[in-house]
Amino acid sequence: MTDAGFQPVYIHGEDRSSRWLITCDHATNTVPPCVNGGDLGLPAADMARHIAYDIGAAGVTCALADTLGAPAVLSNFSRMVIDPNRGLHDPTLLMKLYDGSVIPANRHADADEKARRADAFYAPYHDAIAQLAARQDDTVIVAVHSFTRQLRARPPRPWHIGILYASDRRLSDPLMDILRAEDDLCVGDNEPYVGHLPGDSIDQHGLKMGRPNTLIELRNDLIEDPDAQHAWGARLAPLLERALQQMETTHA
């Protein structure tokens, strides 16, 4: 189950030696040709929504990596093909209904189909992260995501940015303090949702390996265009550097 020439993962700045490693689990809404002919059966409007990918996150990821002089790993398949930010046994690994939209190509996907997609897309993405993270003993992982301002039939979300974490708060706590000192930001503490699922990307590459980590959620209406994505990447980089310095001072 492969497509000649299709690459399920994109590495930006692979040769960079920074201890930072930036990841983007939901970088694109691409449906590979080998998955239902490259069409999940959804209208174009749905494929352009947050249900298909994290709008703006890829641009922020690359801008942040450029400013930090760091490598970045980005997925090249829609989260609806298979979600790389889930454990392999998570029931939402292959979604059949998302924010009111039924995903036709997934409705009858069985265990064999899920396994094929995991081998073709999920595994190469995580292998790339694991290999880059292992190059240094002091790797710090930052996962970049975006969230929609309002889910269907739900109230608007007030946060501009959310910092998500699980048991390891070493980097997230100082980062939240620094962000809250910015006059123009409403900062979410494990909002718009709790930042941990067993087997998710941070669990695999951060928590289980003992690496400092944080997950950044940006509201997607703030990063819709390239200029905004570049501005956020440039803004976040020095704040992350300060947070890392504070973390190392506190936990020395």
Side-chain angles (χ1 to χ4, degrees):
M1 181 185 169
T2 58
D3 292 308
F6 177 79
Q7 297 296 322
V9 58
Y10 170 66
I11 302 176
H12 180 76
E14 183 173 5
D15 295 333
R16 294 170 179 169
S17 59
S18 169
R19 65 184 294 194
W20 294 100
L21 176 58
I22 318 302
T23 65
C24 190
D25 296 329
H26 304 141
T28 177
N29 59 359
T30 300
V31 182
C34 64
V35 177
N36 203 50
D39 187 350
L40 293 174
L42 287 166
D46 269 344
M47 291 304 300
R49 292 206 300 134
H50 67 98
I51 65 172
Y53 72 122
D54 281 356
I55 296 164
V60 175
T61 296
C62 292
L64 178 59
D66 289 345
T67 308
L68 290 170
V73 182
L74 301 92
S75 68
N76 190 31
F77 51 92
S78 172
R79 66 194 302 167
M80 293 191 296
V81 170
I82 192 166
D83 194 332
N85 195 34
R86 298 290 187 273
L88 283 171
H89 301 292
D90 191 301
T92 64
L93 178 69
L94 200 159
M95 293 289 283
K96 301 187 178 186
L97 173 69
Y98 196 168
D99 193 23
S101 293
V102 174
I103 305 163
N106 291 352
R107 288 187 67 183
H108 303 296
D110 58 13
D112 288 343
E113 174 64 11
K114 184 184 294 186
R116 283 192 292 269
R117 295 189 196 181
D119 288 344
F121 313 119
Y122 184 104
Y125 174 71
H126 285 287
D127 287 347
I129 297 175
Q131 290 169 16
L132 282 173
R135 294 193 305 185
Q136 304 187 70
D137 293 333
D138 60 352
T139 297
V140 181
I141 296 179
V142 178
V144 177
H145 290 252
S146 71
F147 65 96
T148 188
R149 182 168 190 163
Q150 186 171 13
L151 294 168
R152 288 178 173 174
R154 302 288 293 275
R157 292 158 157 174
W159 309 283
H160 300 107
I161 185 171
I163 302 302
L164 278 56
Y165 54 86
S167 56
D168 183 356
R169 302 174 57 149
R170 288 176 294 170
L171 183 59
S172 294
D173 280 348
L175 180 58
M176 279 190 289
D177 289 342
I178 290 167
L179 287 166
R180 284 170 176 155
E182 302 278 300
D183 293 337
D184 59 337
L185 296 180
C186 178
V187 181
D189 180 346
N190 258 341
E191 297 286 358
Y193 22 72
V194 175
H196 178 62
L197 291 169
D200 67 14
S201 289
I202 288 293
D203 190 25
Q204 290 187 47
H205 305 291
L207 299 178
K208 289 179 178 176
M209 307 303 293
R211 298 181 180 117
N213 62 84
T214 194
L215 190 154
I216 295 172
E217 285 275 1
L218 286 162
R219 208 176 69 205
N220 62 25
D221 62 312
L222 303 177
I223 53 171
E224 289 178 326
D225 63 77
D227 287 344
Q229 294 157 19
H230 185 272
W232 271 100
R235 179 178 187 177
L236 287 170
L239 305 184
L240 280 160
E241 293 275 27
R242 284 171 53 196
L244 181 60
Q245 184 177 32
Q246 290 185 24
M247 181 200 84
E248 293 187 324
T249 300
T250 301
H251 296 277

